[in-house]
Amino acid sequence: MKHVKQKLKWFVTGAVVCIGILSCKSVTVNAAAAEYGLLVGNSSGHYTYYDLNGGKTTQRIEKSSGKVMVPVKKVSSYMSVLSYEYNWEQNKAAIKNKKNGKKIVLTKNSQYAYMYASKNAKVKKVKLSAKSYISSGSGALMADVKVFRYVFPKAAGYSFISTGDSEGKKKISQAYYNSPNLKSIIVYNPYKAVTSLPKADTVSFKSANELSSIVRLTIPEGYSLAQIADLTVKKGVCQSTKAFIKAANAVMPSSYWFLKDVKKTSARCFYLEGYLYPSTYEFYRNTAPEDVLAKILKNTGNQLTKAQEARAKELGYTLDQVLAIASIIEKEVSISTEQANVSSVLHNRLSSSEKLQCDATINYVEHYIKPYITGNKDRYNVYYNTYKCKALPSGPICNPGKKAIQAALYPNNTNYLFFCSSKKGKYYYSETYKEHQAIWEEIKNGLK
């Protein structure tokens, strides 16, 4: 980190942790696999994402002869207005719209289907984009992705948006789907035309848990909420960073004892920052952000204790403020054995009404707030930048681990007001700015 030559400035060197068809059985997840999103609308206009990209026995979307194929029975079951029947003697399947009477009959290993506009209507032969077949992996009848539009009130009730073309990629990005492996999004609406791609933070996520792959996700100590949101998307647990952040900010304080003193104010950017406890978790792929957060917060409730809350009170702080101190320690100190000394510097400066002036808080605003918000990007500077705010930032700047929290609760007893570290990783502490400046000059000149 840079050294700022300014009276009473201190220098700290820190270091340190649609929608795509995914799934959630314990198998190795292939991060490079292409994923096809599946969105299904209901009569109320709400969309749900269903997970079909699972293991070998899962009815999943496949690509055959260059065509996208879907498991007809499974997808039909997601639309209550449709019925599905298969005649094994004739190797024929029938999809019927129970509301308007439209029906299409598919034949195994045939590219042709027969469409009935109503119960007594004359049959019409149609050619699909590919032959229907029984999947060797799941035993499901697979048919051309566009097959359902024949029984919809309007053919426009189907849409296929691909990342392979610039316009499709733009639409997917603007709708907040940001899984790196997402290839295309399939949208079905058996009630009305699809006029736009539903945004990821407005849909429900549903995973066929018993059929899906389990993902082990490790949250490193020091990761910010935004980094964790991105990580869940990268690992295929969630589909949208924005949806994850939105769900995090929607968590109710009354749901968890450790959040009771955390206020939702305009000064706090990410409400749960500091409370997503670093650990290794297992999730089903395509888990709803709310369920991911619930599992993490349950563990947080097991790790944080009433004794820690009482100790924070002894120090004159809330547990939330101690976590803010711990988060700065986590980001500023690369050697755990130095954390208690650095903690003493922070506590001493707070007690003496000196600004903390930690570079890590600037980095937090620039890298983990601004890229993830809209509107005035600078509005949180005064609340988190400790060169500007009088004391602690308005919330933690990352999610600290056990050692950093312990150091925040039990700082060493020193009179230090400054610290810095050399490129060799050695830490130096000072009680006065003059002494601190002298040490810093030696570090710059390679003498320490």
Side-chain angles (χ1 to χ4, degrees):
M1 290 183 166
K2 61 185 180 182
H3 179 65
V4 182
K5 291 185 178 180
Q6 187 174 336
K7 188 176 180 180
L8 290 180
K9 293 284 182 184
W10 65 314
F11 174 75
V12 182
T13 302
V16 304
V17 166
C18 164
I19 304 179
I21 287 199
L22 309 164
S23 262
C24 300
K25 277 172 176 176
S26 184
V27 299
T28 302
V29 176
N30 181 4
E35 297 157 356
Y36 295 88
L38 179 61
L39 284 170
V40 179
N42 65 15
S43 58
S44 300
H46 183 78
Y47 282 86
T48 302
Y49 166 69
Y50 295 91
D51 183 356
L52 294 182
N53 203 43
K56 289 183 178 179
T57 60
T58 301
Q59 292 191 24
R60 62 195 185 280
I61 291 179
E62 299 177 357
K63 197 168 185 179
S64 177
S65 303
K67 303 298 180 182
V68 177
M69 310 292 284
V70 297
V72 185
K73 182 178 180 180
K74 176 65 71 174
V75 176
S76 295
S77 71
Y78 298 148
M79 293 178 266
S80 60
V81 72
L82 302 185
S83 66
Y84 170 87
E85 292 181 357
Y86 192 86
N87 186 316
W88 289 97
E89 293 181 355
Q90 299 178 6
N91 286 320
K92 293 182 182 293
I95 307 168
K96 182 179 179 180
N97 188 316
K98 293 178 286 187
K99 188 173 182 180
N100 62 21
K102 285 187 176 183
K103 182 172 73 171
I104 188 167
V105 177
L106 311 173
T107 303
K108 174 186 171 184
N109 296 328
S110 174
Q111 194 172 347
Y112 292 92
Y114 295 90
M115 177 185 167
Y116 301 82
S118 63
K119 184 177 181 180
N120 299 315
K122 186 178 180 180
V123 63
K124 180 181 178 182
K125 187 177 182 180
V126 295
K127 185 177 182 180
L128 304 176
S129 297
K131 291 181 179 181
S132 300
Y133 65 90
I134 301 294
S135 170
S136 58
S138 64
L141 177 69
M142 307 297 294
D144 173 19
V145 66
K146 298 188 291 295
V147 68
F148 293 99
R149 67 177 183 166
Y150 292 103
V151 295
F152 289 166
K154 297 180 179 180
Y158 158 82
S159 184
F160 188 90
I161 303 100
S162 174
T163 59
D165 62 84
S166 58
E167 186 61 28
K169 188 173 184 179
K170 181 180 178 182
K171 288 180 180 179
I172 289 173
S173 175
Q174 290 177 336
Y176 316 136
Y177 301 106
N178 55 329
S179 172
N181 300 318
L182 184 60
K183 186 176 182 64
S184 300
I185 293 181
I186 302 160
V187 187
Y188 293 131
N189 193 321
Y191 299 95
K192 61 181 182 180
V194 177
T195 56
S196 62
L197 180 61
K199 292 186 176 181
D201 59 352
T202 65
V203 305
S204 298
F205 295 79
K206 188 173 182 180
S207 174
N209 295 352
E210 73 280 3
L211 300 176
S212 301
S213 302
I214 290 177
V215 178
R216 288 176 61 85
L217 185 146
T218 298
I219 299 176
E221 296 174 346
Y223 255 37
S224 69
L225 185 144
Q227 285 178 294
I228 294 170
D230 284 338
L231 183 64
T232 65
V233 172
K234 181 179 180 182
K235 294 293 185 178
V237 175
C238 297
Q239 275 293 299
S240 167
T241 295
K242 184 166 183 176
F244 183 96
I245 293 173
K246 181 180 179 180
N249 283 337
V251 170
M252 297 301 294
S254 58
S255 302
Y256 302 92
W257 71 265
F258 49 84
L259 293 176
K260 68 180 187 301
D261 293 323
V262 184
K263 306 299 182 185
K264 291 188 176 184
T265 70
S266 58
R268 192 177 186 110
C269 184
F270 301 126
Y271 171 62
L272 290 185
E273 193 75 87
Y275 293 90
L276 303 182
Y277 202 87
S279 186
T280 296
Y281 301 87
E282 289 189 345
F283 299 103
Y284 291 114
R285 298 189 71 186
N286 187 49
T287 299
E290 292 83 0
D291 294 334
V292 173
L293 290 162
K295 188 168 188 176
I296 296 174
L297 291 171
K298 182 179 179 181
N299 183 45
T300 300
N302 293 333
Q303 300 300 326
L304 298 180
T305 67
K306 293 289 186 178
Q308 291 173 331
E309 185 180 44
R311 172 58 180 167
K313 189 174 181 180
E314 287 179 17
L315 294 171
Y317 298 111
T318 64
L319 181 58
D320 187 58
Q321 289 172 320
V322 164
L323 288 177
I325 296 171
S327 71
I328 294 174
I329 294 170
E330 190 73 74
K331 299 301 288 186
E332 292 282 5
V333 189
S334 59
I335 302 175
S336 61
T337 54
E338 298 291 340
Q339 288 182 333
N341 274 335
V342 172
S343 179
S344 74
V345 173
L346 299 178
H347 280 278
N348 291 341
R349 291 184 71 84
L350 290 168
S351 297
S352 63
S353 299
E354 296 287 353
K355 289 182 179 179
L356 291 183
Q357 298 175 327
C358 301
D359 286 356
T361 60
I362 298 175
N363 292 338
Y364 177 68
V365 172
E366 294 299 318
H367 299 293
Y368 304 117
I369 288 184
K370 288 185 178 181
Y372 297 89
I373 62 173
T374 57
N376 180 6
K377 298 280 188 176
D378 295 318
R379 66 184 183 275
Y380 289 105
N381 285 355
V382 68
Y383 302 119
Y384 285 94
N385 182 343
T386 52
Y387 284 89
K388 295 182 178 181
C389 60
K390 292 182 178 179
L392 285 168
S394 61
I397 63 169
C398 72
N399 294 275
K402 182 177 181 179
K403 290 181 179 179
I405 295 172
Q406 184 72 3
L409 289 168
Y410 297 95
N412 285 343
N413 185 16
T414 77
N415 293 318
Y416 300 142
L417 286 172
F418 307 89
F419 80 92
C420 57
S421 65
S422 67
K423 291 182 179 179
K424 298 178 183 179
K426 188 171 182 180
Y427 283 72
Y428 300 89
Y429 302 88
S430 311
E431 295 182 14
T432 67
Y433 182 70
K434 183 177 180 180
E435 182 184 1
H436 171 68
Q437 278 287 78
I439 293 173
W440 174 237
E441 288 298 323
E442 290 187 68
I443 290 175
K444 286 198 301 182
N445 295 322
L447 301 178
K448 284 188 179 294

